[in-house]
């Protein structure tokens, strides 16, 4: 299976326009944003757990990174409410579930084998703690190593900025909206930019809160 698998092209996705696709586990559905492979795949998805649904215990050989968008995600290690950002490096395992239901943004098989950092961050608290700036944008680092940078950005209403993607860039709109080329991308919409691609974005009237990831796509083969 190949979905948005040409990593040399920019992609911008209105995620609500994508159909839900059933997973092998009853009650767990996916909106596939990009994918290279079948059930074991390099994949970026939005995954919806119905109340009481779960996956069997499994190991993430290629690592797992996710953000809880709605509800509460759970496993044997604890509960992860909306706003949780979690990194589970290669060889970690768990039994994912949701008693009351949840929706997550998740990336699979995209860790470097050398990355062994397991972490959880509260994006809601980090966003609330970001200071107001005169530049129209406030930023917080979530994770960084030699291979990638992950951050949280808060844009003021109407803030405009040009990016030239360095090593590739991803943007997930957590709240508010962005405008690019006359189209508006709202909550949970997703953009992926190839290495060296220049983009001009503007925040909407309510501003925008963004999860960003960069420097991680230059060696991905389409």
């Amino acid at each position: 299976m190949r979905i948005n698998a040409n990593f040399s092209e920019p992609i911008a996705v209105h995620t609500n326009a994508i159909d839900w696709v059933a997973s092998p586990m009853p009650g767990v559905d996916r909106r596939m944003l990009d994918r290279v492979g079948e059930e074991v795949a390099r994949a970026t998805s939005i995954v919806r757990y119905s109340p009481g649904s779960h996956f069997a215990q499994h190991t993430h050989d290629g690592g797992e990174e996710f953000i809880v968008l709605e509800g509460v995600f759970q496993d044997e290690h604890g509960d992860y409410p909306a706003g949780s950002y979690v990194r589970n490096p290669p060889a970690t395992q768990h039994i994912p579930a949701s008693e009351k239901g949840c929706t997550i943004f998740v990336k699979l098989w995209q860790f470097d084998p050398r990355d062994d950092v397991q972490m959880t961050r509260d994006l809601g608290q980090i966003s609330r703690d970001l200071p107001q700036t005169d530049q129209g944008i406030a930023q917080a680092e979530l994770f960084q190593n030699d291979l990638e940078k992950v951050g949280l950005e808060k844009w003021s209403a109407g803030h405009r900025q040009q990016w030239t993607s360095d090593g590739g860039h991803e943007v997930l709109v957590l709240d508010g909206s962005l405008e690019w080329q006359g189209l508006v991308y709202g909550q949970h919409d997703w953009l992926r930019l190839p290495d060296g691609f220049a983009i001009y974005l503007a925040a909407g009237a309510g501003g925008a809160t963004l999860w960003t990831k960069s420097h991680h796509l230059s060696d991905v083969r389409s």
Side-chain angles (χ1 to χ4, degrees):
M1 186 183 301
R2 294 177 63 82
I3 298 172
N4 291 329
N6 185 348
F7 291 87
S8 65
E9 294 182 350
I11 297 293
V13 178
H14 292 102
T15 58
N16 285 335
I18 301 174
D19 291 335
W20 291 104
V21 177
S23 79
M25 291 295 176
V28 182
D29 302 312
R30 301 166 292 188
R31 283 174 165 158
M32 300 182 183
L33 306 182
D34 68 24
R35 195 173 189 91
V36 181
E38 301 304 321
E39 276 310 312
V40 177
R42 183 194 199 282
T44 303
S45 310
I46 291 181
V47 179
R48 180 180 63 186
Y49 287 76
S50 297
S53 59
H54 67 278
F55 262 96
Q57 182 176 14
H58 57 271
T59 300
H60 288 289
D61 293 327
E64 173 196 55
E65 177 181 26
F66 65 87
I67 300 169
V68 182
L69 303 177
E70 299 171 347
V72 180
F73 177 88
Q74 297 164 303
D75 62 19
E76 66 272 35
H77 307 298
D79 293 353
Y80 305 90
S84 300
Y85 168 61
V86 180
R87 293 178 65 90
N88 290 324
T92 54
Q93 58 182 271
H94 65 164
I95 306 172
S98 184
E99 180 182 350
K100 295 183 178 181
C102 71
T103 304
I104 67 173
F105 169 84
V106 59
K107 299 176 69 64
L108 300 173
W109 280 94
Q110 297 177 45
F111 274 61
D112 186 274
R114 295 168 291 174
D115 188 343
D116 60 358
V117 177
Q118 188 167 22
M119 59 174 283
T120 302
R121 302 290 301 276
D122 181 347
L123 299 186
Q125 186 62 55
I126 293 169
S127 177
R128 289 189 291 272
D129 289 343
L130 283 173
Q132 296 290 329
T133 70
D134 294 333
Q135 289 74 37
I137 181 172
Q139 300 170 301
E141 180 182 294
L142 301 176
F143 176 80
Q144 180 174 346
N145 61 14
D146 294 339
L147 304 166
E148 64 183 44
K149 296 180 180 179
V150 184
L152 186 71
E153 299 189 2
K154 200 168 185 177
W155 291 26
S156 300
H159 176 71
R160 299 173 182 272
Q161 184 165 318
Q162 180 172 331
W163 277 338
T164 299
S165 176
D166 185 3
H169 214 115
E170 285 183 63
V171 179
L172 179 70
V173 182
L174 297 176
D175 195 21
S177 63
L178 290 175
E179 181 178 329
W180 178 40
Q181 295 185 333
L183 295 177
V184 176
Y185 296 90
Q187 189 178 45
H188 304 162
D189 288 344
W190 174 77
L191 293 81
R192 190 193 71 206
L193 313 175
D195 185 19
F197 187 81
I199 187 172
Y200 189 79
L201 296 171
T209 303
L210 313 174
W211 175 86
T212 67
K213 187 179 179 78
S214 62
H215 297 77
H216 63 303
L217 297 175
S218 56
D219 295 328
V220 177
R221 298 188 181 276
S222 302

